Amino acid sequence: GAAGRAWLAGSVLWASAPIGALVLLMIMRLVPGAWTQELAPALERVALLIAPAALLFAPVLFALGHIYAWPEADTAFRGAYLSPLAYGLRTLLWFAGLGGLAFLIVIRRVRAAAVASIGLIAFLPMATLISTDWLLFLDAGYASSGFALYVTSAQVLQAFALAVVLAAMNGAAPQRTGLVGGLLLTLLLLWTYFIFMPYFITWSDNLPAGVRWYQRRTQGAWTWVMPVIAGSRLAAIAALLFKVVRNSRRALVGLCV
């Protein structure tokens, strides 16, 4: 079980980059501008990693019984939906859809605006199901309607930062540093909002399941992991408020790393 959950964590981490890259590419197809010229080549390469990410997830599907505690079904729907077979089918459908989007947007480039529009509309409902399956279901007693938005914001932030680093490694460091720095600041603020709101709702309403969920994350290694994660992003937000940092290529690449 521990090995399966560790593999799940690694698989979700490595799948997040191409997923976030696809979201950014679909937005680029609908909102073209100077920022697309800076990062599109790197994002397209990252998006094509969706195929190996799907293969990396395969061992998870064979260890579902050890990773998750499947609840006893009290209704026919719960019995059908909360089962290893349904979980596997949803995961396969998710990767198939993402692979199709990557093929149409990056390789074929046919009717990019139409594909991006349909893709973005379909993305969030499916991402909500998958984020719940992969991560939230590990703690079945806790429910959050905003959890998928937090996961998606983290994926997009990860893909954006990775694209900046890859561009710099290929000798194409951002030329429009102010624009790229402003976008990075926006994504960091979105991440902050989506991670704070569930905590605020839990605190203000004193929801028992949510309280227990956060209490468990103040024990053991979480006591230093959480401050490091939050501190690194809040420090980046504070730095990007200064124009001199947003206009510095070296500072932007360093913050993305």
Side-chain angles (χ1 to χ4, degrees):
R5 286 187 290 273
W7 190 277
L8 171 68
S11 301
V12 172
L13 174 66
W14 287 102
S16 293
I19 293 173
L22 276 172
V23 174
L24 286 170
L25 286 171
M26 287 189 287
I27 295 174
M28 286 179 175
R29 297 301 188 264
L30 296 174
V31 190
W35 71 293
T36 65
Q37 302 171 17
E38 295 283 351
L39 301 175
L43 287 171
E44 289 178 352
R45 292 195 293 271
V46 174
L48 293 178
L49 294 175
I50 196 64
L55 292 176
L56 186 65
F57 213 89
V60 174
L61 300 181
F62 290 99
L64 293 179
H66 302 283
I67 298 174
Y68 300 99
W70 300 97
E72 294 185 5
D74 53 359
T75 65
F77 174 79
R78 283 172 61 87
Y81 189 87
L82 299 177
S83 66
L85 176 60
Y87 177 108
L89 290 176
R90 287 193 295 272
T91 298
L92 293 174
L93 179 62
W94 175 238
F95 279 117
L98 294 174
L101 282 174
F103 176 76
L104 292 174
I105 291 176
V106 179
I107 299 176
R108 287 293 302 276
R109 301 175 184 270
V110 177
R111 297 182 178 179
V115 172
S117 298
I118 297 172
L120 285 172
I121 291 171
F123 177 86
L124 193 57
M126 194 64 190
T128 300
L129 297 179
I130 292 299
S131 298
T132 302
D133 282 349
W134 289 359
L135 299 174
L136 202 57
F137 191 42
L138 289 167
D139 195 334
Y142 178 61
S144 170
S145 58
F147 185 78
L149 294 173
Y150 162 68
V151 172
T152 300
S153 70
Q155 291 171 336
V156 173
L157 175 62
Q158 177 184 344
F160 186 89
L162 181 58
V164 173
V165 174
L166 290 177
M169 292 174 62
N170 290 330
Q175 302 299 317
R176 301 173 179 84
T177 51
L179 181 59
V180 173
L183 288 169
L184 178 60
L185 175 60
T186 301
L187 292 174
L188 282 165
L189 289 173
L190 278 174
W191 177 89
T192 305
Y193 174 79
F194 286 132
I195 198 174
F196 174 73
M197 283 309 297
Y199 176 81
F200 176 75
I201 292 171
T202 298
W203 176 81
S204 61
D205 291 343
N206 195 25
L207 303 175
V211 170
R212 287 191 295 270
W213 194 86
Y214 283 105
Q215 281 180 331
R216 282 192 286 272
R217 281 150 184 82
T218 59
Q219 302 170 0
W222 287 105
T223 56
W224 61 267
V225 170
M226 292 295 283
V228 167
I229 292 173
S232 64
R233 285 155 177 76
L234 293 176
I237 290 173
L240 287 167
L241 293 176
F242 296 93
K243 188 175 181 180
V244 65
V245 175
R246 295 197 304 272
N247 290 334
S248 170
R249 298 177 189 174
R250 182 174 297 180
L252 282 179
V253 174
L255 288 175
C256 287
V257 171

